[in-house]
Amino acid sequence: MRFGVVIFPGTWSDMDFHHVISEVLHQSVEYLWHRDTDLSRFDVLILPGGFSYGDYLRAGAIAGRSPVVSALPGFVARGGLVLGSCNGFQILCEAGLLPGTLMRNDCLQFRCQTTHLLVEQTETPFTRALRRGQVLKMPIAHGEGRYHVDAATLRALREKNQIVFRYATESGEVTGAANPNGSIWNVAGVCNEEGTVVGLMPHPERAAESGIGSTDGLLLFHSLIGSLVENGSALGR
């Protein structure tokens, strides 16, 4: 299996993802530039956090129309998997690959802190090794992470099981105090209807080694790798 980590001007978590995939998980990984459109050699693409193109206009707005993102629908259609974290999540929403939008935090502050996530969806390649109701510990670092959709879309997301993570307390209670940015229904991550594109505001790559406080982010990668081993590489489909 082969991972690609996309770099936009202003990306800041690319090296963290590359380190975890290559040095912790010992998987093949390479960087892609935002102008790249040949994605045929990859099974999984990572859109990392940062401030792509300076986040001018809106967070992720320009990157959502970049050449590499324009090539993502074809990549997903042939069986490729996409994970967007933080700015990557914002980009996937801007590109229309995930529903919703990410707005400025309701506190109007940049929040850099540890959060706890309640696992809601375990049928995606990224979460199938998790348990529904399991609580994960991961950090956030963003100023525009307030997930929003209208009431009808939220209802549809719940009915189609597209809400993957919600902010919760350490014991798994979904409360207003556990919500760091004012996201509707405490939503921290969602997926497309097929579960092949997942976006979340927390940083799994920064919860992958015990020395930095949590290894819960590794659970997503282990689930993903297990799915690829079981179902085969997208390269062979």
Side-chain angles (χ1 to χ4, degrees), residues 2-188:
R2 193 169 186 86
F3 290 78
V5 177
V6 180
I7 301 175
F8 302 92
T11 294
W12 72 353
S13 286
D14 50 314
M15 295 182 70
D16 294 339
F17 268 109
H18 194 287
H19 167 78
V20 171
I21 296 169
S22 63
E23 303 301 323
V24 179
L25 298 167
H26 307 292
Q27 300 294 318
S28 176
V29 58
E30 66 177 273
Y31 291 117
L32 290 88
W33 189 227
H34 63 118
R35 294 185 183 279
D36 292 336
T37 56
D38 180 7
L39 310 180
S40 59
R41 62 193 182 279
F42 299 105
D43 295 298
V44 184
L45 289 179
I46 305 291
L47 273 61
F51 298 93
S52 55
Y53 300 94
D55 274 349
Y56 290 112
L57 302 180
R58 294 182 307 277
I62 299 176
R65 292 148 181 83
S66 64
V68 68
V69 173
S70 297
L72 285 182
F75 173 74
V76 173
R78 72 169 176 81
L81 305 173
V82 180
L83 176 68
S85 167
C86 196
N87 196 222
F89 185 18
Q90 295 162 341
I91 293 168
L92 291 172
C93 289
E94 284 287 340
L97 292 168
L98 289 175
T101 188
L102 280 307
M103 303 170 65
R104 194 169 184 187
N105 297 346
D106 63 347
C107 60
L108 304 183
Q109 297 173 331
F110 186 95
R111 286 292 174 87
C112 182
Q113 64 187 68
T114 297
T115 61
H116 292 91
L117 309 177
L118 184 69
V119 177
E120 293 277 357
Q121 164 47 304
T122 58
E123 300 300 321
T124 82
F126 301 90
T127 57
R128 57 181 298 184
L130 303 177
R131 289 179 288 102
R132 186 178 173 88
Q134 187 173 357
V135 179
L136 308 181
K137 180 181 174 183
M138 290 187 206
I140 59 166
H142 59 249
E144 297 178 56
R146 178 161 56 107
Y147 184 76
H148 181 75
V149 290
D150 60 34
T153 304
L154 179 62
R155 185 166 55 251
L157 292 177
R158 295 177 63 179
E159 291 172 353
K160 295 177 181 177
N161 206 19
Q162 288 180 249
I163 295 174
V164 183
F165 300 112
R166 297 173 73 194
Y167 297 108
T169 65
E170 187 173 1
S171 60
E173 295 177 89
V174 178
T175 68
N179 188 341
N181 50 34
S183 289
I184 189 168
W185 212 55
N186 281 45
V187 172

